[in-house]
Amino acid sequence: MKLYTSQGSMIRGSLFCLFQITVGRIIMRIADADIALMYWIGLAWCLGFTFVMLRIIHAYFTQKPSFEADNDGFSVMGKPKRPWSDYHGARTKGVHVYFIPILRWVIVKTGPGLLGSQQQIHFGHLSEKPKKMVGRMNSFAQKQIAHRR
């Protein structure tokens, strides 16, 4: 199973980054001689989201899988392959403003317990809607783990 970055995810991620770059430009514009620090905060905001947008576009055009799995194990975002014994489930995480969801992404737990490690598939690297992607990943993992027993 290989899940690649979808065009819709790339477009939504890029649009979100463009919105955030606009916010950074507004912060830079607000800055005047009294609040010179605001200019640098706005500039850092713009540069940070420009970098994120370039990563999203690069991931789409290079077409590396965001999640890859087979009988031997799984890999998240091109990291080294891990055995199925390290897979502790995938879930969605998101940012909400009041009750309105703004962003969602996928987290793959790779260690047991609360402090176990995790790997993220960011909002611009999803293959489909996050809940559907998590469902596909978890069902494939359950089949592989059950097959190993």
Side-chain angles (χ1 to χ4, degrees):
M1 175 168 111
K2 291 184 180 184
L3 302 177
Y4 292 94
T5 303
S6 70
Q7 183 177 11
S9 178
M10 188 264 306
I11 290 171
R12 281 189 300 276
S14 297
L15 287 175
F16 177 77
C17 288
L18 284 174
F19 173 74
Q20 293 299 326
I21 291 168
T22 304
V23 168
R25 296 279 299 149
I26 291 170
I27 292 171
M28 289 169 65
R29 178 94 22 137
I30 290 172
D32 58 6
D34 296 336
I35 314 172
L37 180 63
M38 290 293 284
Y39 177 82
W40 295 107
I41 292 172
L43 181 64
W45 192 274
C46 288
L47 292 176
F49 279 100
T50 300
F51 176 72
V52 171
M53 185 171 67
L54 291 174
R55 270 189 62 198
I56 291 169
I57 293 169
H58 179 263
Y60 176 72
F61 285 112
T62 56
Q63 285 299 312
K64 292 181 182 172
S66 54
F67 183 79
E68 185 176 8
D70 58 14
N71 294 336
D72 299 325
F74 67 99
S75 172
V76 179
M77 296 297 294
K79 299 245 171 45
K81 187 179 277 191
R82 301 176 74 120
W84 284 111
S85 60
D86 287 351
Y87 187 87
H88 293 276
R91 63 183 174 91
T92 63
K93 192 166 184 174
V95 175
H96 290 61
V97 174
Y98 297 105
F99 59 90
I100 302 169
I102 303 297
L103 282 177
R104 286 202 179 279
W105 60 90
V106 175
I107 293 181
V108 180
K109 290 279 286 180
T110 56
L114 291 173
L115 300 176
S117 60
Q118 60 188 18
Q119 294 176 342
Q120 295 184 13
I121 302 174
H122 297 284
F123 60 90
H125 300 274
L126 302 174
S127 64
E128 52 202 332
K129 295 202 180 278
K131 287 185 180 181
K132 189 174 181 183
M133 190 172 171
V134 165
R136 287 182 64 192
M137 291 163 59
N138 285 335
S139 67
F140 187 82
Q142 287 173 353
K143 289 176 188 173
Q144 294 303 317
I145 291 170
H147 177 67
R148 289 212 163 266
R149 291 181 184 176

